[in-house]
Amino acid sequence: MPKILVTGGTGYIGSHTVVELQQVGYDVIVVDNLSNSNIEVLNGIENITGIRPDFENIDCTDYVNMDRMFEKHAGIEGVIHFAASKAVGESVEKPLLYYRNNLVSLMNLLQLMPIHNVKNIVFSSSCTVYGQPDELPVTENAPIKPALSPYGKTKQIGEDIIRDTIHADKFYKAIILRYFNPIGAHSSAKIGELPIGVPNNLLPFVTQTAIGIRKQLQVFGNDYNTPDGSCIRDYIHVVDLAKAHVVSIERMLKNKSKENLEIFNLGTGRGLSVLEIVNTFEKVNGVKVPYRIVDRREGDIEQVWADPSYANKVLGWKANETVEETLRSAWKWELNLERKAKES
Ligand code: NAD
Ligand code: WQD
């Protein structure tokens, strides 16, 4: 089966994508510098699929070692590029780290791909490129708005780099996937979102509060112009998201599209508020999540959810998991983390 390079493959979305690729027979090589993940993730992947992916501990900003990696793993037919720094708040404090890490990594890949005859790339982008959309649900034709953080800018610039590179050289085929809010974990609870430091994102904070690691969830504002006053997002199961990457790679390997560049929104099309997520989490898992309403978080947009119909129709992909199942999987993962911590 074709060989696929997954950069950032021991990360949250990358590890779930490696599992889905292996389960349909792809031969996967993972490149990751472990800056925001742990080598243990490979054990989780192997426990699920029975196959330990080839792993190279390389920094994607390191051109020479990335070139050597392509030489060593000759015959790579596609790249799924997850490797990036992704903490919005940190990007405001350390913009140069984000521009260097996220853009040099991508440019190295794009420069090395034709040298090693690798035509296909899937790029991890984000609904953050839309800012606060003028219309909801948001389609791929929605205007790109000025990013509110250097992180968001790296996604917008990354998309432009790909667009301009393809305009100059039709050698490449690229699919840009704009993720909404990935949450949850693999049903086996052997992989999930790794808690490194204080979580920025809602779901890890909810699960850590429910299990007692955090005292109380802070809900950032309930004075928005939404039904219950809290912000609305499109929360998508990370496994549904992972499956979209398999479909995207297949689309390119099988030349199903005449286009050299395609862009898809990956969401459920369902907007849920922070309070709805908290209440549903408590209900489906039979636990309490103590919270209090605090001031709005700077940079938060009020509401965004996807119109996924283009991905549904053209990719033939749809998010299937219910929010209840997704929230159950997040809790099962947190419980497994606690069990592993007690055993170690
Ligand atoms: P993650 O931090 O869990 O995974 C990223 C992985 O990339 C980590 O394992 C990290 O060690 C690795 N990495 C970072 N810089 C690297 C480098 N220079 N060389 C090699 N490895 C490197 O993040 P994630 O949530 O899995 O996100 C994956 C991608 O999806 C990122 O590009 C992110 O911007 C994008 N994205 C994430 C979300 C989200 O909510 N998680 C939403 C939209 C887009
Ligand atoms: C979701 C909602 C918060 C934590 C971010 C990035 C985006 C992407 C996904 C990388 C918001 C509220 C959160 C908390 C809360 N990452 N919240 N208390 O902000 O939609 O998107 O992560 O690409 O680029 O911007 O996700 O999970 O941080 O927040 O009330 O402790 O939960 O205000 O409304 P967000 P999030």
Side-chain angles (χ1 to χ4, degrees):
M1 269 298 255
K3 218 181 261 189
I4 301 296
L5 167 64
V6 177
T7 72
T10 50
Y12 174 40
I13 306 171
S15 55
H16 286 83
T17 303
V18 171
V19 164
E20 298 306 319
L21 286 165
Q22 289 185 329
Q23 289 188 326
V24 292
Y26 284 97
D27 178 7
V28 177
I29 297 110
V30 170
V31 161
D32 202 302
N33 67 356
L34 303 177
S35 58
N36 198 38
S37 59
N38 188 309
I39 192 106
E40 293 287 303
V41 169
L42 296 176
N43 299 337
I45 293 171
E46 186 177 7
N47 283 343
I48 297 168
T49 65
I51 308 162
R52 194 176 187 82
D54 284 336
F55 175 69
E56 302 287 353
N57 183 344
I58 297 173
D59 186 324
C60 291
T61 63
D62 177 345
Y63 182 91
V64 171
N65 278 315
M66 285 297 285
D67 186 31
R68 287 186 185 137
M69 181 282 302
F70 275 108
E71 286 289 344
K72 177 179 171 187
H73 298 282
I76 287 172
E77 297 192 40
V79 183
I80 304 181
H81 184 42
F82 291 108
S85 304
K86 61 152 183 177
V88 173
E90 184 186 47
S91 78
V92 176
E93 292 152 26
K94 303 174 183 171
L96 289 179
L97 182 148
Y98 274 68
Y99 287 121
R100 172 178 294 284
N101 195 44
N102 296 5
L103 300 180
V104 173
S105 292
L106 174 62
M107 290 187 284
N108 279 349
L109 278 174
L110 292 171
Q111 282 184 288
L112 286 165
M113 284 169 65
I115 294 168
H116 297 278
N117 196 30
V118 181
K119 296 180 184 303
N120 307 303
I121 181 167
V122 176
F123 177 67
S124 292
S125 190
S126 166
C127 65
T128 204
V129 302
Y130 297 117
Q132 176 58 66
D134 301 326
E135 285 174 39
L136 288 168
V138 62
T139 71
E140 289 82 356
N141 305 315
I144 303 301
K145 293 204 173 168
L148 296 170
S149 69
Y151 166 73
K153 281 192 195 128
T154 68
K155 291 303 175 185
Q156 291 178 345
I157 299 168
E159 292 193 5
D160 290 344
I161 288 171
I162 291 170
R163 190 176 291 107
D164 293 343
T165 303
I166 288 180
H167 179 72
D169 184 349
K170 293 287 181 280
F171 164 82
Y172 300 90
K173 267 191 178 261
I175 290 182
I176 293 172
L177 299 176
R178 291 174 179 162
Y179 313 156
F180 283 68
N181 288 62
I183 61 170
H186 190 268
S187 57
S188 66
K190 293 185 188 307
I191 55 174
E193 191 165 11
L194 264 193
I196 296 180
V198 179
N200 301 302
N201 291 128
L202 177 65
L203 240 296
F205 216 109
V206 164
T207 57
Q208 288 187 11
T209 304
I211 208 155
I213 295 170
R214 309 281 162 204
K215 246 170 72 38
Q216 191 178 50
L217 169 72
Q218 296 187 344
V219 174
F220 297 135
N222 68 346
D223 58 350
Y224 287 96
N225 182 21
T226 61
D228 65 17
S230 63
C231 293
I232 293 175
R233 295 288 185 275
D234 186 328
Y235 295 95
I236 177 170
H237 197 300
V238 65
V239 174
D240 277 331
L241 194 63
K243 289 176 176 171
H245 293 75
V246 180
V247 173
S248 298
I249 275 287
E250 249 155 36
R251 181 174 174 80
M252 293 194 283
L253 293 188
K254 293 177 178 168
N255 289 311
K256 290 185 178 176
S257 166
K258 291 186 299 300
E259 304 296 328
N260 285 77
L261 173 60
E262 293 180 295
I263 299 176
F264 297 100
N265 282 347
L266 297 185
T268 66
R270 175 190 60 209
L272 289 170
S273 74
V274 176
L275 292 174
E276 282 175 314
I277 287 287
V278 173
N279 296 334
T280 308
F281 181 88
E282 290 183 325
K283 189 158 66 64
V284 300
N285 293 308
V287 292
K288 285 306 283 173
V289 179
Y291 71 84
R292 70 191 170 99
I293 306 291
V294 299
D295 292 341
R296 295 181 174 192
R297 179 173 68 175
E298 197 189 336
D300 269 343
I301 57 162
E302 180 174 89
Q303 47 189 315
V304 61
W305 64 93
D307 172 347
S309 55
Y310 186 60
N312 301 159
K313 191 158 108 327
V314 174
L315 270 188
W317 164 90
K318 193 170 180 337
N320 290 313
E321 291 295 343
T322 62
V323 65
E324 291 79 8
E325 186 43 46
T326 307
L327 294 173
R328 265 193 285 271
S329 72
W331 180 233
K332 199 177 156 194
W333 167 244
E334 189 66 59
L335 288 170
N336 195 31
L337 283 174
E338 182 187 63
R339 182 185 57 76
K340 287 200 281 190
K342 282 177 179 164
E343 285 168 1
S344 60

